[in-house]
Every structure is written in structure tokens, then in C-alpha cells.
Amino acid sequence: MSLSKAEWLALEKKVDELRNLTLDTTYWAGSGHIGGGMSVLDIMTVCYYKYMNIKVDDPQWADRDRFILSKGHAAVAYAPVLCDLGFNDKEMLKTFNLSGSKMGMHLDSNKVVGADASTGSLGHGLSIAVGTALAARVTGKDYMTFCVLGDGECDEGSNWEAAMTAAHYKVTNLISFVDRNKCMIDGRTEDVKNLEPFCDKWTAFGFIVKEIDGNNIKELCEAIDFAYENHKNGGTQPVMIVCNTLKGCGIDFIEDDYTWHYGAFDDDRYERGKKALAETYKKRVARAEKEGA
């Protein structure tokens, strides 16, 4: 699917709305995993608002595309997406992670409508996604599965077992992403446990790798288009999109700072965050206006 300038601008507007709603949700909750939530929002926005085939009025539709957020702690951003789409009431966000709420720190697929899997035990999402993709093949369905991993969870061996399985069974109806913000809870990923050469690892495991700016709508769309064409044209290798992103993307005073893996916003920080998001949106609209066709 080509990306028109009008569509690009519409997606920029949507991701700005979702970043603001994610900041609101973090503020209402008193704290949250806002750093990784902000870095992954462009990926989720493009998947849900441009590519995925879903029915809000039939969330268990058998032919729907599946979305597995392996980095389940980014639920503070995922919950706003599922509420904005209409799967859940936006009022639920005001109780995010509070006692008695259905919206927990990691979304429970039995309680949150539209969530295809309960995640948060890191390293499991890709295994689940390979399973849903293989299930489509076995049952004769043509739905796609989208899976988003964090780079920190790629320290876990279960991801690489899933990668071997995906490559062995040529699971091209799976489109995977790594939110490569280079930060994790205890520090920089390369300081905690060196992942590089990261793209080469995925290539060695049998994937076609596309390395992009994961906070760039156009580059995300081009990479996903490639993955679709690879599947439709009989490709035999799954696609991994390594998305270089900024932790806390959009809020300048928390960007690329691992200490904002989890954090809280008082009134002053909240207002500063809102102003930062407004400035970020202006810059991104200007880029789309300049580069869009």
C-alpha cells in the first residue's frame, strides 16, 4: 500500500493523539512504563490504523489479523490504542493499574477487549505469534500476525527458539518488529548484555531483516509493504523489522534515558510533557509535508 501525503499526515495526527493519551494515562495512574510505550507507538499506530484487518464490533472475528505485544509492559500505550479504536471505553484509562481496574500494568486478554494475548512475561510473545501464524496455515485462514518485541527481551533464549521455528516453517504470514530503543530497565542494552551485531543475528536465524527508523511513519510503511509482498509473492523467509527508536519518543526530557523505563509525572512534568509533544508534532508534520508525495 503506497503512503500518500494525506494518509501520512492523518497517521501523524493519530500517533500524536495516542502519545497525549498515553501521557494522560500515565498521569492518571500515578506512574507507568511510559518510556517504552512512547517508543513503540508509531509501530502500533501504523499496524492498527493502516494495515490490520479487524472488526471492532466483532473482536473475536476468526479472520481478524492478530497483534501480539510481546513487550507487554508497554500496555500504558497499548491500552489507549485499544480504547481509541473503540474496543474499550476510554473512561477505563482513568483507572489504569489502579485497584479493581480491568486495565492492569500488563493487559489481560480475558479482561481487555481487543488484546489477542496476555503478555508481560518477556520473551514469550514471538513464540505465541509463530503459533497464531501457523494456526492460520493449518485452518486455511489468510490473516496476518504482527508481533512487537522489545530489544531488552531479546536477551531471552525463548525468542531465538521461536525464530528458528519461524524460519524452519517459512512463516511469512508473520511480520515481526523489534522496538530497538537500546534501553532496558537496568541500563543501556549494550551495557547490560551486548546484542550486537543484532541484525546479523536475525539474518543468521533465517529472517529477511529490514533496519529502519522506527519513529518514522514512512519507513515503517515501506518495511511493512515489503513484508506483505514477500508473503504474497511466495517468499520463504519471515521478515524482521528492526526499528531504531527513541525511548520516551516525543517528550524531549525523557528521550533516550533508560531511567524512564518506568516513571511518574507530577503536575509540572505533565505540563512540560504536553508542551514537548506539541513541539514534536509540529516537527513531524513539517517532515511529512516536505517528504510526502
Side-chain angles (χ1 to χ4, degrees), residues 77-263:
Y78 189 28
V81 171
L82 295 178
C83 289
D84 181 76
L85 286 164
F87 283 115
N88 303 273
D89 188 341
K90 281 188 179 181
E91 287 297 306
M92 293 171 67
L93 298 175
K94 294 180 179 179
T95 65
F96 183 85
N97 203 42
L98 302 181
S99 296
S101 176
K102 291 183 178 181
M103 293 283 185
M105 184 64 69
H106 303 89
L107 299 188
D108 183 337
S109 61
N110 294 311
K111 297 178 180 178
V112 180
V113 181
D116 286 312
S118 302
T119 59
S121 294
L122 294 172
H124 294 175
L126 188 59
S127 297
I128 297 171
V130 172
T132 63
L134 285 172
R137 181 185 299 173
V138 170
T139 58
K141 302 290 186 182
D142 63 358
Y143 65 77
M144 300 292 287
T145 295
F146 298 78
C147 182
V148 181
L149 297 83
D151 51 1
E153 70 174 308
C154 290
D155 289 350
E156 307 227 16
S158 50
N159 283 303
W160 304 103
E161 294 177 37
M164 285 192 291
T165 303
H168 178 78
Y169 289 105
K170 302 177 176 59
V171 187
T172 61
N173 60 336
L174 166 67
I175 303 176
S176 303
F177 307 80
V178 175
D179 181 26
R180 185 77 167 110
N181 60 34
K182 301 181 178 66
C183 295
M184 53 196 300
I185 188 169
D186 291 326
R188 308 289 296 181
T189 56
E190 306 315 287
D191 294 332
V192 175
K193 186 178 289 186
N194 188 26
L195 289 169
E196 294 296 342
F198 192 57
C199 291
D200 290 347
K201 287 183 170 72
W202 290 105
T203 300
F205 273 77
F207 281 69
I208 299 172
V209 178
K210 292 290 182 180
E211 185 176 15
I212 65 166
D213 176 354
N215 297 132
N216 183 307
I217 297 292
K218 183 180 180 181
E219 290 191 26
L220 278 163
C221 291
E222 289 172 348
I224 296 171
D225 285 344
F226 173 86
Y228 267 98
E229 289 303 311
N230 175 64
H231 174 59
K232 291 177 181 178
N233 293 333
T236 59
Q237 294 176 271
V239 173
M240 172 58 73
I241 304 172
V242 176
C243 301
N244 292 307
T245 63
L246 278 175
K247 192 104 171 176
C249 181
I251 302 178
D252 54 2
F253 61 90
I254 72 170
E255 284 184 342
D256 199 34
D257 183 350
Y258 77 84
T259 64
W260 276 94
H261 177 84
Y262 186 92

Side-chain angles (χ1 to χ4, degrees), residues 258-286:
Y258 77 84
T259 64
W260 276 94
H261 177 84
Y262 186 92
F265 283 76
D266 58 17
D267 291 346
D268 178 62
R269 280 178 171 170
Y270 176 75
E271 292 303 323
R272 287 173 60 201
K274 286 289 183 177
K275 291 178 182 178
L277 288 174
E279 287 302 311
T280 295
Y281 179 55
K282 287 180 185 178
K283 292 176 183 177
R284 290 177 58 134
V285 167

Side-chain angles (χ1 to χ4, degrees), residues 19-50:
R19 280 203 167 90
N20 275 278
L21 194 51
T22 296
L23 175 57
D24 291 342
T25 303
T26 305
Y27 178 70
W28 294 327
S31 59
H33 293 91
I34 191 168
M38 289 295 190
S39 64
V40 80
L41 259 172
D42 294 288
I43 302 169
M44 290 197 290
T45 301
V46 168
C47 287
Y48 271 102
Y49 294 85
K50 179 172 172 61

